[in-house]
Amino acid sequence: EPEVTQTPSHQVTQMGQEVILRCVPISNHLYFYWYRQILGQKVEFLVSFYNNEISEKSEIFDDQFSVERPDGSNFTLKIRSTKLEDSAMYFCASSRTPLYGYTFGSGTRLTVV
Amino acid sequence: DAKTTQPNSMESNEEEPVHLPCNHSTISGTDYIHWYRQLPSQGPEYVIHGLTSNVNNRMASLAIAEDRKSSTLILHRATLRDAAVYYCIPDNAGGTSYGKLTFGQGTILTVHP
């Protein structure tokens, strides 16, 4: 069964550093998303991306965050200057069309020290 | 966003049916009802979704009340692998907020051998 692949599975970074989280969505999917889950808390929507532009973003997705689909296969989330509170599991998801549900990756655990 | 209410936790024995309820009394007429689950240390996994009619797939069945204010996810024979947090999420898949899933706390399902 097709999968959404995320790399790395775990990233440790120093506060203030830039990180890029990578995702390879399912190949025929057109809609792409990032979510995050702080340990012990709910899964939270960050951003949706369609037709090479952001469709919607949450309040969490401030100027420190950006997304890109640089080459038609990868979908990346960049955090420019990480803070301690950015420590969380980050999940990428994709969908052929939202009517058919969303496939999530297994996540990247980001630890900011 | 439509508000959902689910039991915090439920328990079942292996190979017995499980009925997971969800109230979504403020659901709009165009919201699909999605169910996702999250196994420990993994990303959310799509289970099933529906609009008005009851739905079946290889994982589960979804029974939707006639007034659409509640639904029930049915696992016909629980296995140990079904132990997870189950989320009921109304999704306006055809609207402007497609992909912006709002996860609640969900129901923690424990399956006993």
Side-chain angles (χ1 to χ4, degrees):
Chain A
E1 194 162 322
E3 290 183 342
V4 173
T5 306
Q6 291 187 244
T7 54
S9 57
H10 190 187
Q11 170 120 24
V12 181
T13 188
Q14 291 206 324
M15 192 168 54
Q17 294 296 305
E18 174 183 286
V19 295
I20 297 176
L21 309 183
R22 302 181 193 279
C23 169
V24 179
I26 293 173
S27 61
N28 64 348
H29 283 190
L30 301 175
Y31 299 80
F32 312 107
Y33 313 90
W34 284 99
Y35 287 77
R36 80 172 186 189
Q37 186 174 31
I38 295 170
L39 187 64
Q41 297 189 24
K42 300 177 188 177
V43 177
E44 302 174 287
F45 168 82
L46 291 178
V47 66
S48 58
F49 191 86
Y50 170 71
N51 201 24
N52 283 321
E53 61 182 24
I54 290 174
S55 310
E56 187 162 358
K57 56 186 180 180
S58 71
E59 291 177 356
I60 303 167
F61 194 89
D62 61 21
D63 291 344
Q64 294 297 315
F65 291 88
S66 62
V67 290
E68 198 176 35
R69 187 156 160 79
D71 56 11
S73 62
N74 291 286
F75 181 51
T76 60
L77 174 70
K78 183 193 290 187
I79 309 174
R80 287 191 185 82
S81 178
T82 50
K83 310 186 198 65
L84 294 175
E85 53 264 39
D86 293 327
S87 295
M89 281 291 287
Y90 287 82
F91 297 110
C92 173
S94 70
S95 173
R96 182 160 56 106
T97 157
L99 288 174
Y100 290 95
Y102 310 88
T103 303
F104 284 78
S106 53
T108 292
R109 179 173 298 285
L110 176 66
T111 303
V112 182
V113 296
Chain B
D1 293 345
K3 183 173 161 47
T4 60
T5 304
Q6 296 180 253
N8 289 333
S9 62
M10 291 185 66
E11 296 187 20
S12 172
N13 294 316
E14 210 175 359
E15 300 193 5
E16 289 185 355
V18 181
H19 291 233
L20 296 160
C22 179
N23 285 319
H24 33 75
S25 58
T26 59
I27 196 170
S28 78
T30 54
D31 282 349
Y32 284 75
I33 299 153
H34 281 244
W35 283 81
Y36 285 78
R37 69 182 186 182
Q38 188 173 22
L39 279 65
S41 302
Q42 294 191 28
E45 176 187 24
Y46 169 82
V47 177
I48 199 166
H49 77 290
L51 185 61
T52 55
S53 306
N54 295 343
V55 185
N56 300 296
N57 66 19
R58 61 179 176 82
M59 289 180 72
S61 296
L62 177 60
I64 302 172
E66 202 170 321
D67 63 6
R68 294 193 359 107
K69 293 185 178 181
S70 65
S71 61
T72 302
L73 179 71
I74 302 164
L75 307 178
H76 295 285
R77 290 182 67 196
T79 68
L80 296 178
R81 196 199 172 271
D82 292 323
V85 182
Y86 286 79
Y87 301 99
C88 155
I89 307 173
D91 178 31
N92 192 352
T96 57
S97 292
Y98 38 83
K100 184 184 175 185
L101 298 177
T102 301
F103 287 79
Q105 296 289 2
T107 296
I108 301 170
L109 175 66
T110 302
V111 180
H112 299 289

